Amino acid sequence: MAFGNCVPRRLSCVVRYRRVVLFLLVLVVVICGFLGPSFLFVSLQSATQETRQNIQFEVIELKPAARSLEQEGVDMLQRRVMELERLRTSVRNELRSLERRRQEAQRRTQAQVSSLEHARSEHEKVAKEMVKSQRELRSVRMSLRQANAVNSKVVRDGGNVMSEEQAAVPPMLAEVLPPKRIFLPDSLGSVNPLPSKTSSQSCGMADCFDFSRCSLTAPFLFHVYPRSAFPASSQSSVYDVIYQHLTSLRDYTSTPQHACVFVLISTKGDKTGSEIEKLLHGLPSWQGDGRNHILLDVISTVEASNRVWNDVNIGRAILAQTSFPPPNPYRRGFDIVIPPMLSGSTTPVWTNLPNQLPAFRKHLLYFRGEFTPRTDNEQPRTTADDLTTLKNRGLEQLFISTTCGDVAHKNPSLPGEWAMCGSSSQRLASLSQSTYSLILSSTLVNPHSQGSQPSTTALIRLTESLRSGAVPVILADTLQLPFNDVINWHEAALILPEARVTELNFILHAVSEADVLKLRWQGRFLWETYLSTTSRIVDAMIANVRSHIGLPPPAIPDPKTLGVFDGGKTIPQEIHPFDNGVPIPLSNVEVMSPQFQHNFTTSSYQLWNRPPGALTGSSPVTPFAPPLPSGFQYIGAGRGQHLHPTVKEGGPMNGPEFEVVLAGNVPDEQFTIVLLTYDRNQVLIAAIQRLQHLQYLRSVLVVWNNPQKPPNTMQWPDIGVPVHVIKPGKNSLNNRFVPFKEIETEAVLSMDDDAHLRHDEILLAFRVWRENRDRIVGFPGRFHAWDARHPGSWNYNANYSCELSMVLTGAAFVHKVSSLMHRIVTL
């Protein structure tokens, strides 16, 4: 019915119908939203309960089986734990047993090490005592043989002739007691008669010197008279310099009774000859004839002459002066020629010295002077015409002038001499550009002397030439040069007869470049050592007298050093905690190189004309010892008994014999290592440790340049030889060259603390050094050469190259005498 009413209004009915349908749909959705989850929850709950029931049922079924398996696992674990407990107990017992045995072995090892150290110490003591006993035995046998020789009896042993082994004992020098020294009495008088002037002109060391006052076993002492003892001398600054220097030397004594010689310094005063003679003969130690006295006459000007003693009877005294005018002759081997001491300088002039290279300089020959005649018609032996002819014939530029002219003023000089021109600086500048320097003698001749009067001007020219590097060319037949009886002037100058002046140009061109450099080097050495200052001249005078009487120079004093271990230098044994576990073998007996074996066999020429000279003292060792012939097996083997096997038996050597000969003439020689360090403790310890078991090693010296002492916790290795730690006075790389008294061997291996050398490398270098003892044998090499592109400079190359010219001392063997020479230069 209701639909019938909708027919007329179809559109509104349709709308109303759709709303009803939409409402029903929404209602259905709402109902499903509420009823669906509840139904799903009920379904899931039911399924869950069912599943839980199933699981509980299965667990109930598996529980008996799980209990059975768990019980079996627990039993197994218990059994394993018990087994491990048993093993732990067994291992613990075993470890305890091993620890007891280890401790017992350690105690036995320590006891054996102590016993070994004691045995080594006793072995060294016994070895030293054996050597000493053998020396004493040889001395006793020598004395016995000498006694039997005196009695003209044959030495026999139980009626039989001595065996070959007994006869092969090398003879030794007999022990001779030194002579007793003779001291002068407190009150001295005229002990010896004064000889006449004629007798004193022929004095020599044999008849005018008292050798009993200068014993070989006593120090060579001299006494210097003060000015108050001889007031005839005038005031002079040179006098004061000489007196102060002589009284400061270690050989000076203020007690005349202990002196070997007596020095009197004199200068020209206003006293007459008779007054001077009275003062001279009244000296406290004159003893009547003036024996063992040195009269040192000092001139203060170039034109002065040594005429203090002209009218004085000097008795048996020695004259030391520049010139010897009549009537006092120069007595060769007794009197001493000294160069003039005009300035009184005591400090060497090291500045403005020209280089010794190149060999040939701008001028081939230099001479400038003007002759001062004694009379109007006097001509010198070498005339000005001779010099002019020489200049005209020269191929190179010759700087020759026979007049001073207006450029250079003429210096005063004695009549009969060639006066010098210009100032000293002007002459030195010209000489430094000349290869040779011409020196002419004077015309003053002493008819009583063994040669002409030494010219003051000529000696000044000589010293200036040596200082400038101009080789002196001396045209003189009888010129006496300074210290000519001990200095070989032919090694530093060309000494020619005056008649060769016309051929001088040819002679100079015939001298090779090497000979020019050798002459120039020797001249520089002589000037620096004996002629450069007043103090050097005076020292040379004293040394000349010592050479006349055959006394060797005193030993070079040891440098003063400090220790770093409570005043000591050797590392105490109790601060050696470091040990690398390597057993130290028994060391060889410590061998010290023999010292002072050539005191009386070294000639005066060799001592005076080779560095370091005769003023420094005696070196205990020398690299220039004469080698033994090949027939001797080794040094000290005897006097002809122990010959080389090939000489003795006439056949080749076997293996052991050849191995012994490989050690050279000194099979027991050892060396000392000098390690330079500053503040690298670990590097130093490692360097010392590497020296363990090194053959032929005598000792190790650590030069501690660090101002701070080593820490107490520093672990020093024990390498089986003494290790000395020395602290020098200052930090310097040159401390490696200091001749420490702890160096008791001739061979010294100078090393830096970071130098890594194998033992075989060190032993090879040591063997090569023993065959070249006067050279540096080492490893780091460098190259240097004169740089021609830059005048006055050298080229130095530190890179590796095929050409080497020097060996650095960071790892090199040197002779100890090199350290002594370095100390002499730096004193």
Side-chain angles (χ1 to χ4, degrees):
M1 290 186 310
F3 296 104
N5 296 329
C6 296
V7 173
R9 296 182 290 181
R10 175 177 290 183
L11 181 58
S12 63
C13 289
V14 173
V15 172
R16 196 178 290 117
Y17 173 77
R18 290 180 177 178
R19 289 179 179 177
V20 173
V21 175
L22 181 60
F23 175 77
L24 291 177
L25 289 175
V26 171
L27 182 61
V28 172
V29 172
V30 172
I31 293 173
C32 291
F34 282 100
L35 296 180
S38 300
F39 177 79
L40 181 62
F41 177 75
V42 173
S43 300
L44 291 174
Q45 186 175 8
S46 175
T48 301
Q49 289 178 355
E50 184 178 358
T51 303
R52 185 179 297 173
Q53 290 177 0
N54 294 334
I55 291 173
Q56 288 178 357
F57 178 76
E58 292 177 359
V59 169
I60 292 172
E61 291 181 354
L62 291 175
K63 278 184 179 181
R67 289 193 185 96
S68 177
L69 292 173
E70 183 180 359
Q71 186 64 34
E72 291 179 0
V74 171
D75 294 341
M76 183 179 296
L77 289 174
Q78 289 179 351
R79 288 194 299 271
R80 290 183 178 178
V81 169
M82 293 177 63
E83 182 67 20
L84 291 174
E85 288 289 341
R86 186 181 65 80
L87 290 176
R88 185 181 68 176
T89 304
S90 177
V91 170
R92 183 179 297 174
N93 294 334
E94 186 69 20
L95 290 176
R96 289 176 180 175
S97 176
L98 290 176
E99 179 65 20
R100 287 193 297 269
R101 283 185 288 178
R102 187 190 70 81
Q103 293 178 358
E104 182 65 24
Q106 186 177 5
R107 285 193 294 269
R108 291 197 301 267
T109 302
Q110 291 178 353
Q112 292 177 357
V113 169
S114 301
S115 177
L116 183 62
E117 291 291 338
H118 179 72
R120 182 176 65 179
S121 177
E122 292 297 328
H123 169 74
E124 293 178 355
K125 292 180 180 179
V126 170
K128 293 179 180 180
E129 292 294 333
M130 183 180 299
V131 173
K132 182 178 179 181
S133 300
Q134 289 177 351
R135 293 176 179 175
E136 294 178 353
L137 180 60
R138 288 196 297 265
S139 177
V140 171
R141 288 180 176 177
M142 180 62 185
S143 301
L144 180 61
R145 291 180 184 180
Q146 290 178 346
N148 291 335
V150 172
N151 296 328
S152 300
K153 295 182 180 180
V154 179
V155 179
R156 297 181 180 271
D157 187 9
N160 299 323
V161 180
M162 295 179 61
S163 63
E164 181 180 357
E165 179 180 359
Q166 293 174 339
V169 176
M172 297 181 62
L173 295 178
E175 296 182 1
V176 181
L177 295 178
K180 295 183 178 181
R181 297 196 63 191
I182 300 176
F183 297 104
L184 294 176
D186 295 335
S187 57
L188 300 177
S190 299
V191 179
N192 303 303
L194 181 66
S196 62
K197 289 185 178 182
T198 304
S199 300
S200 64
Q201 290 179 358
S202 60
C203 259
M205 298 300 297
D207 52 356
C208 293
F209 194 88
D210 185 6
F211 285 83
S212 63
R213 297 192 53 82
C214 310
S215 173
L216 294 176
T217 59
F220 177 82
L221 302 178
F222 62 87
H223 176 73
V224 183
Y225 288 106
R227 189 189 296 271
S228 58
F230 191 75
S233 298
S234 60
Q235 296 292 334
S236 173
S237 59
V238 180
Y239 180 100
D240 298 333
V241 170
I242 296 175
Y243 182 81
Q244 293 176 4
H245 176 71
L246 285 175
T247 54
S248 65
L249 298 177
R250 59 174 177 171
D251 294 335
Y252 166 76
T253 177
S254 58
T255 305
Q257 288 78 12
H258 297 168
C260 170
V261 296
F262 307 88
V263 180
L264 175 64
I265 308 172
S266 64
T267 57
K268 182 63 176 178
D270 54 357
K271 301 285 185 181
T272 62
S274 58
E275 294 175 339
I276 294 176
E277 182 173 296
K278 182 178 180 181
L279 292 174
L280 179 66
H281 297 171
L283 292 175
S285 304
W286 184 254
Q287 286 190 280
D289 58 355
R291 60 182 62 192
N292 293 35
H293 276 65
I294 304 176
L295 306 182
L296 175 58
D297 189 11
V298 180
I299 60 175
S300 57
T301 58
V302 178
E303 69 275 12
S305 178
N306 298 102
R307 300 183 180 277
V308 176
W309 315 111
N310 280 7
D311 301 327
V312 178
N313 187 351
I314 60 174
R316 292 184 169 88
I318 300 173
L319 287 180
Q321 52 194 28
T322 302
S323 59
F324 291 81
N328 294 325
Y330 169 71
R331 299 162 293 185
R332 187 177 182 86
F334 189 72
D335 293 331
I336 302 173
V337 179
I338 61 175
M341 296 177 286
L342 304 179
S343 61
S345 174
T346 58
T347 304
V349 183
W350 298 104
T351 58
N352 300 326
L353 289 181
N355 293 322
Q356 299 194 33
L357 293 177
F360 297 106
R361 299 174 176 176
K362 178 180 179 181
H363 305 297
L364 180 64
L365 181 65
Y366 171 82
F367 177 80
R368 190 166 195 172
E370 186 173 334
F371 183 71
T372 305
R374 289 177 293 182
T375 61
D376 296 337
N377 297 326
E378 184 181 19
Q379 292 292 331
R381 292 191 179 93
T382 303
T383 64
D385 295 338
D386 297 332
L387 298 178
T388 303
T389 303
L390 174 64
K391 180 180 179 180
N392 295 333
R393 291 180 179 178
L395 299 180
E396 281 85 1
Q397 182 179 3
L398 304 181
F399 194 101
I400 297 178
S401 177
T402 56
T403 59
C404 293
D406 299 331
V407 179
H409 66 277
K410 177 183 176 181
N411 291 294
S413 65
L414 290 174
E417 293 187 348
W418 285 90
M420 297 180 296
C421 301
S423 62
S424 176
S425 59
Q426 292 176 341
R427 294 192 300 270
L428 292 175
S430 300
L431 288 170
S432 61
Q433 299 180 358
S434 304
T435 305
Y436 300 97
S437 172
L438 182 60
I439 300 176
L440 303 176
S441 64
S442 66
T443 59
L444 302 177
V445 178
N446 189 341
H448 306 284
S449 181
Q450 303 173 14
S452 66
Q453 171 190 342
S455 171
T456 304
T457 304
L459 297 187
I460 294 178
R461 290 181 184 272
L462 175 66
T463 56
E464 290 180 349
S465 301
L466 297 177
R467 176 181 174 179
S468 303
V471 178
V473 178
I474 303 175
L475 289 181
D477 296 328
T478 54
L479 179 63
Q480 302 296 340
L481 299 177
F483 312 110
N484 54 1
D485 52 347
V486 287
I487 292 180
N488 186 4
W489 285 104
H490 289 276
E491 295 183 354
L494 295 178
I495 304 177
L496 304 172
E498 294 178 85
R500 296 295 183 185
V501 62
T502 57
E503 302 171 311
L504 186 58
N505 186 45
F506 173 79
I507 295 174
L508 297 182
H509 283 85
V511 181
S512 65
E513 185 178 17
D515 289 337
V516 170
L517 293 176
K518 184 178 180 181
L519 292 169
R520 183 176 298 163
W521 182 90
Q522 182 69 8
R524 176 70 64 84
F525 161 71
L526 295 178
W527 178 79
E528 291 180 355
T529 308
Y530 307 114
L531 311 174
S532 57
T533 62
T534 300
S535 58
R536 291 299 180 98
I537 295 173
V538 174
D539 292 342
M541 179 194 68
I542 298 295
N544 198 349
V545 177
R546 186 191 293 115
S547 299
H548 283 171
I549 62 179
L551 287 180
I556 300 175
D558 295 323
K560 295 182 180 180
T561 57
L562 299 176
V564 297
F565 303 110
D566 296 332
K569 300 174 183 177
T570 305
I571 297 178
Q573 192 69 24
E574 59 270 12
I575 67 169
H576 282 173
F578 180 84
D579 188 5
N580 58 3
V582 180
I584 301 176
L586 293 175
S587 61
N588 296 329
V589 179
E590 297 177 355
V591 179
M592 184 176 65
S593 298
Q595 299 181 356
F596 300 104
Q597 289 191 329
H598 309 282
N599 289 340
F600 303 101
T601 55
T602 303
S603 63
S604 296
Y605 263 31
Q606 182 179 1
L607 182 64
W608 278 76
N609 297 279
R610 294 292 179 269
L615 307 185
T616 56
S618 295
S619 172
V621 291
T622 175
F624 307 107
L628 286 176
S630 59
F632 277 82
Q633 187 173 1
Y634 54 86
I635 293 177
R639 300 183 180 178
Q641 291 83 3
H642 294 265
L643 296 178
H644 199 280
T646 58
V647 177
K648 186 176 181 180
E649 300 177 2
M653 294 180 292
N654 54 27
E657 292 175 344
F658 184 75
E659 184 178 359
V660 172
V661 176
L662 282 178
N665 283 335
V666 192
D668 295 330
E669 186 174 16
Q670 298 175 345
F671 62 90
T672 303
I673 292 181
V674 177
L675 275 174
L676 192 68
T677 187
Y678 181 77
D679 194 15
R680 297 185 291 190
N681 298 343
Q682 297 301 325
V683 175
L684 172 63
I685 294 302
I688 299 177
Q689 182 184 357
R690 288 192 296 268
L691 302 177
Q692 192 173 21
H693 302 164
L694 179 57
Q695 193 178 8
Y696 301 116
L697 180 58
R698 173 69 171 82
S699 62
V700 177
L701 268 70
V702 178
V703 182
W704 190 267
N705 274 338
N706 194 341
Q708 303 296 329
K709 290 185 177 182
N712 297 329
T713 58
M714 191 170 178
Q715 297 181 346
W716 297 89
D718 187 1
I719 60 176
V721 298
V723 178
H724 310 283
V725 183
I726 297 176
K727 188 176 182 302
K730 62 179 180 179
N731 176 23
S732 174
L733 293 176
N734 292 329
N735 289 333
R736 71 169 80 244
F737 305 117
V738 177
F740 301 106
K741 65 179 181 180
E742 287 78 11
I743 301 178
E744 298 177 337
T745 59
E746 295 185 47
V748 179
L749 176 56
S750 175
M751 290 180 60
D752 292 333
D753 54 3
D754 57 350
H756 292 260
L757 295 177
R758 300 192 310 268
H759 287 194
D760 60 324
E761 294 174 333
I762 296 177
L763 295 181
L764 174 62
F766 182 46
R767 176 182 175 183
V768 174
W769 176 87
R770 287 194 292 182
E771 299 173 357
N772 303 271
R773 308 176 73 89
D774 59 336
R775 297 181 177 269
I776 300 177
V777 178
F779 298 91
R782 296 292 187 268
F783 172 78
H784 80 291
W786 180 256
D787 193 353
R789 298 172 299 178
H790 303 87
S793 62
W794 291 82
N795 181 20
Y796 177 80
N797 185 12
N799 299 324
Y800 292 101
S801 61
C802 297
E803 185 177 3
L804 301 175
S805 60
M806 66 170 62
V807 177
L808 303 185
T809 54
F813 275 96
V814 297
H815 199 280
K816 186 180 179 181
V817 75
S818 302
S819 300
L820 296 172
M821 294 175 64
H822 182 270
R823 171 171 169 77
I824 292 167
V825 173
T826 56
L827 283 177

